[in-house]
Amino acid sequence: MSRVPGWIGRLGAGLSQMGERMGRDEPDSGPLDDVRASRRSADAEAAAADVAADVDPEQVVPAPPAYAPAVSARPDPVAAVPWGMRVAAEAGWRLLVLAGTLWVLMKVISAVQLVVFAFVAALLITAMLQPTVVRLKRLGLPRGLATVVTAVLGFVIMGLVGWFVVWQVMDNVDTLSSQVQDGIDDLRNWLLTSPFHVTEDQINNIAKSLREAVGANTEELTSAGLEGVTVIVEAMTGILLAMFSTLFLLYDGKRIWQWVLKLVPAPARPGIAGAGPRAWRTLTAYVRGTVIVALIDAIFIGIGIYFLGVPMAVPLAVFIFLFAFIPLVGAVVSGALAVVVGLVTQGVFTGLMTLVVVLAVQQIEGHILQPFILGRAVRVHPLAVVLSVAAGGLVAGIGGAVVAVPLVAVTNTVVGYLRAYSQEAALKQSPQPRGATAVDVAPVDPPAPSPGTGS
């Protein structure tokens, strides 16, 4: 082992001499190239011989035998994974994080469901009442007085509508029950004489099964009635929260929006500041359009069933107005209710005519009124409407079904604006070469007024 530094030194000296000789040679020396090349190879062989003489034979690693299999170097694990699988893995863990975030968010919302629904209802009511505040301010009323007058009138009108419905139902319940009984008897006689060959024993068995089902579930019905007290208390609490939230949103919406913007990170604040007012305009247009369409449905269907002699035409029209806020599903349920009442009280012909009136008005509303009144700002594909209403109903019942479509419309507006804003920002940051044509990007309007500003 002590001889190793010696041969390393001689090898280095030999290589240095070879480098000096090569540096002194001229590149275009002609016939001397072969001589110098042979001299360099001889020097290299001599240096290798010196190294071989100095190395201990016991320390030399023998070459592998000829029959040994060749072992190739293992590739980098990242390079061994296909590109598509790497992309799927990158997208997969991000989707898992997003799904976990949504799951936690849904758990939090379900824990404070009453507060969330009250605030969402306040947003919808504010979007409906804000134009009145704007008009009163233009007439010279102070902002506080205009807000109080609008809120009081709005809640009084909604309370009167609810009271009228309850009063009509309670006032006509006895007459309606007798008409329903007569209608059931007429329906029974019609089934006996119909070509469906329904016998009286089959009808009696069906009635007996219904009575047994009601008797077997008496305890469940009683417990549901007791739980109804809790539901009423929660409903009153939600109504009070919605009223207070509406009052403050109408009066101080601008400051509330500015405070929300402070919670957003600074790099994303300009985009959110522009997307928020546009989302508010979309929500306002949706609420106004839905109110107008629901009012037209209620008026024309109510007039039709009134002339057909269907009892409680006015309460049924109010139900049609309220159910119109649930897209697609609400129209089907309210129309079916009117048809059933007409069928069991006035007979098969009146029921069929009620169905014709309901279908005619809803077809006109769906194909003419909604595209004209709502416009392109809140246009959502019918498939998105059906899926959002179904998902909202499964997650949060009737309230979720009501909120689902405006939420989808607002999300569509926000995503579209942020996409255009990011493209315009990227174009502004990237330098354009001379003579290059600019990429067509939808222009981003200046920020619109915040909710509650009234301008």
Side-chain angles (χ1 to χ4, degrees):
M1 295 298 293
S2 60
R3 298 175 60 187
V4 173
W7 67 261
I8 292 177
R10 289 194 295 274
L11 177 61
L15 294 176
S16 300
Q17 293 175 1
M18 291 173 59
E20 293 176 358
R21 293 171 184 172
M22 292 173 63
R24 290 193 300 268
D25 291 341
E26 295 295 332
D28 298 328
S29 57
L32 298 177
D33 289 342
D34 296 337
V35 178
R36 290 171 179 171
S38 60
R39 185 180 299 172
R40 288 195 295 269
S41 62
D43 293 338
E45 291 177 357
D50 293 339
V51 171
D54 293 338
V55 174
D56 189 359
E58 295 179 358
Q59 297 178 356
V60 176
V61 179
Y67 59 83
V71 179
S72 59
R74 293 184 178 181
D76 187 5
V78 177
V81 179
W83 173 256
M85 187 176 295
R86 277 189 279 173
V87 173
E90 292 286 338
W93 74 259
R94 287 176 171 84
L95 289 176
L96 288 177
V97 172
L98 181 61
T101 304
L102 291 177
W103 183 82
V104 173
L105 182 61
M106 294 303 298
K107 286 294 183 180
V108 173
I109 291 176
S110 63
V112 291
Q113 187 174 5
L114 179 63
V115 178
V116 173
F117 277 152
F119 184 74
V120 172
L123 283 176
L124 297 177
I125 297 172
T126 303
M128 183 173 58
L129 297 180
Q130 186 185 4
T132 306
V133 177
V134 175
R135 293 188 183 94
L136 292 177
K137 287 175 63 178
R138 289 175 181 174
L139 293 176
L141 270 70
R143 184 177 62 179
L145 183 59
T147 300
V148 172
V149 171
T150 303
V152 170
L153 287 178
F155 285 115
V156 166
I157 292 173
M158 287 185 283
L160 288 177
V161 169
W163 170 80
F164 178 76
V165 172
V166 175
W167 171 60
Q168 286 290 314
V169 172
M170 296 300 295
D171 190 52
N172 295 281
V173 64
D174 296 332
T175 305
L176 182 63
S177 62
S178 61
Q179 289 179 345
V180 169
Q181 185 63 40
D182 295 338
I184 291 175
D185 293 337
D186 294 339
L187 182 61
R188 177 175 176 273
N189 295 329
W190 180 79
L191 288 174
L192 290 175
T193 58
S194 66
F196 297 107
H197 305 289
V198 180
T199 62
E200 187 172 359
D201 293 336
Q202 291 176 340
I203 296 177
N204 293 332
N205 290 331
I206 293 174
K208 181 180 178 181
S209 300
L210 291 175
R211 286 194 298 269
E212 290 177 354
V214 172
N217 297 323
T218 302
E219 295 182 358
E220 296 181 2
L221 294 176
T222 304
S223 62
L226 294 176
E227 292 177 357
V229 178
T230 306
V231 172
I232 292 175
V233 173
E234 292 181 353
M236 295 300 297
T237 305
I239 291 173
L240 292 176
L241 286 174
M243 291 175 62
F244 281 106
S245 300
T246 302
L247 187 62
F248 285 110
L249 287 173
L250 287 174
Y251 179 74
D252 218 7
K254 182 178 180 180
R255 293 182 181 178
I256 295 174
W257 173 242
Q258 291 175 352
W259 178 82
V260 171
L261 284 178
K262 294 179 181 179
L263 303 178
V264 179
R269 195 171 297 166
I272 300 299
R278 287 163 179 80
W280 181 253
R281 283 209 301 258
T282 300
L283 182 63
T284 304
Y286 175 83
V287 172
R288 285 192 224 168
T290 304
V291 169
I292 295 174
V293 170
L295 189 61
I296 294 174
D297 280 355
I299 290 174
F300 284 98
I301 294 178
I303 292 173
I305 62 178
Y306 174 79
F307 282 108
L308 289 174
V310 178
M312 294 198 307
V314 177
L316 286 175
V318 176
F319 276 115
I320 291 171
F321 173 79
L322 296 177
F323 276 89
F325 285 90
I326 306 176
L328 298 180
V329 179
V332 173
V333 173
S334 60
L337 180 62
V339 172
V340 169
V341 173
L343 177 65
V344 299
T345 56
Q346 301 297 323
V348 178
F349 177 76
T350 304
L352 291 177
M353 294 304 297
T354 304
L355 178 62
V356 171
V357 170
V358 170
L359 291 179
V361 174
Q362 290 181 354
Q363 288 298 316
I364 295 173
E365 169 255 321
H367 293 87
I368 298 177
L369 294 179
Q370 277 196 356
F372 178 73
I373 295 174
L374 294 180
R376 299 183 61 88
V378 291
R379 183 171 296 176
V380 181
H381 195 276
L383 179 60
V385 173
V386 173
L387 294 178
S388 61
V389 170
L394 291 175
V395 172
I398 297 178
V402 173
V403 175
V405 175
L407 180 61
V408 171
V410 169
T411 304
N412 185 30
T413 301
V414 171
V415 171
Y417 173 81
L418 292 179
R419 184 187 298 115
Y421 178 83
S422 62
Q423 290 177 356
E424 185 175 355
L427 286 177
K428 289 180 179 179
Q429 293 178 358
S430 60
Q432 293 289 338
R434 292 183 179 180
T437 58
V439 182
D440 294 333
V441 179
V444 179
D445 300 331
S450 302
T453 57
S455 58

